[in-house]
Amino acid sequence: MKTKLKNTINQKIELDKKIMNLSQEIDASIKKIYEIVKKGGKIFLCGNGGSAADAQHLAAEFLVRLKPNKNRQPFPAISLAMDTSTITACSNDYSFVELFSRNFRAFAKKGDILIVITTSGNSKNIIKVLKKAKQKKITSLSILGNLGGKAKKLSDYNIIIPSSNTALIQEEHLFLGHYILNEVEKKLLT
């Protein structure tokens, strides 16, 4: 058991080191999100399963605050996996593939940004919402894993975690989400 734990921790450390090679992509994403929010745009986030939880978590952090000692105005961030009523109604009346794109169509406007979080980059509902963003000329950022999947070709910005281990990818996604939004918040408050 101790050897397995040690191996997993070492994998995490090695992946953390590889993330430093993504600094250009991360900095570009921070700059773009900052510019959009500064001009009054909204952030839309989505993902499935654990990535849906990350999208909701990050939206809440941006709406409320990232640091307990920073009382600030809320920044507009919305999870497209809104609530169980919307999810089940859309899935029942249309299909689960429509969920994010339908909600996105209702709220997003040019000058906003879509952030998708997905370990595979191949989820049909993610691909559909990225296509909708392109169609509406709305900036998109995909936070991905593995090799990026189909999503990387549809996004304006990509951050691809170089791993096939879903758990480690998701840990990096949440870490990067916090890091990126914290940097955006700092810029907005200066």
Side-chain angles (χ1 to χ4, degrees):
M1 188 66 138
K2 188 175 181 180
T3 303
K4 286 182 184 179
L5 178 60
K6 184 178 179 182
N7 288 341
T8 302
I9 290 170
N10 284 331
Q11 286 177 15
K12 172 81 170 91
I13 291 167
E14 287 306 310
L15 188 55
D16 285 343
K17 289 177 184 176
K18 289 179 183 178
I19 299 305
M20 288 189 266
N21 296 328
L22 301 174
S23 63
Q24 285 184 325
E25 293 90 339
I26 295 166
D27 289 344
S29 299
I30 291 166
K31 182 178 182 206
K32 181 48 84 174
I33 296 167
Y34 163 74
E35 289 169 354
I36 286 170
V37 175
K38 183 78 173 164
K39 291 178 183 173
K42 297 177 296 301
I43 301 169
F44 292 93
L45 300 106
C46 64
N48 293 296
S51 298
D54 290 346
Q56 288 178 328
H57 179 137
L58 294 169
E61 300 265 33
F62 222 48
L63 277 169
V64 181
R65 62 184 178 185
L66 286 153
K67 296 182 179 172
N69 60 343
K70 292 274 186 197
N71 289 322
R72 60 157 171 82
Q73 293 296 314
F75 298 127
I78 301 163
S79 168
L80 293 173
M82 296 180 183
D83 56 67
T84 55
S85 297
T86 304
I87 292 167
T88 56
C90 186
S91 298
N92 183 62
D93 295 356
Y94 296 97
S95 91
F96 189 68
V97 173
E98 300 290 326
L99 176 64
F100 301 138
S101 60
R102 187 157 183 85
N103 294 344
F104 189 70
R105 278 187 6 233
F107 297 110
K109 293 181 172 54
K110 194 170 180 182
D112 293 337
I113 186 168
L114 169 67
I115 300 174
V116 302
I117 305 169
T118 169
T119 58
S120 72
N122 291 318
S123 301
K124 291 177 184 174
N125 54 5
I126 294 290
I127 300 304
K128 186 145 189 166
V129 74
L130 283 167
K131 287 179 179 178
K132 184 55 66 182
K134 277 239 179 284
Q135 188 180 68
K136 291 181 80 152
K137 296 182 171 57
I138 294 173
T139 302
S140 60
L141 162 63
S142 289
I143 303 175
L144 308 163
N146 292 298
L147 300 174
K150 295 174 187 171
K152 74 178 175 187
K153 294 178 183 167
L154 296 169
S155 302
D156 299 308
Y157 297 85
N158 289 298
I159 298 173
I160 303 172
I161 306 305
S163 175
S164 59
N165 181 319
T166 300
L168 292 179
I169 293 167
Q170 289 179 329
E171 288 176 24
E172 296 296 342
H173 283 176
L174 189 56
F175 164 76
L176 285 173
H178 279 132
Y179 177 78
I180 290 167
L181 292 183
N182 186 56
E183 293 302 306
V184 171
E185 180 183 79
K186 283 197 282 191
K187 287 174 161 287
L188 288 168
L189 294 176
T190 56

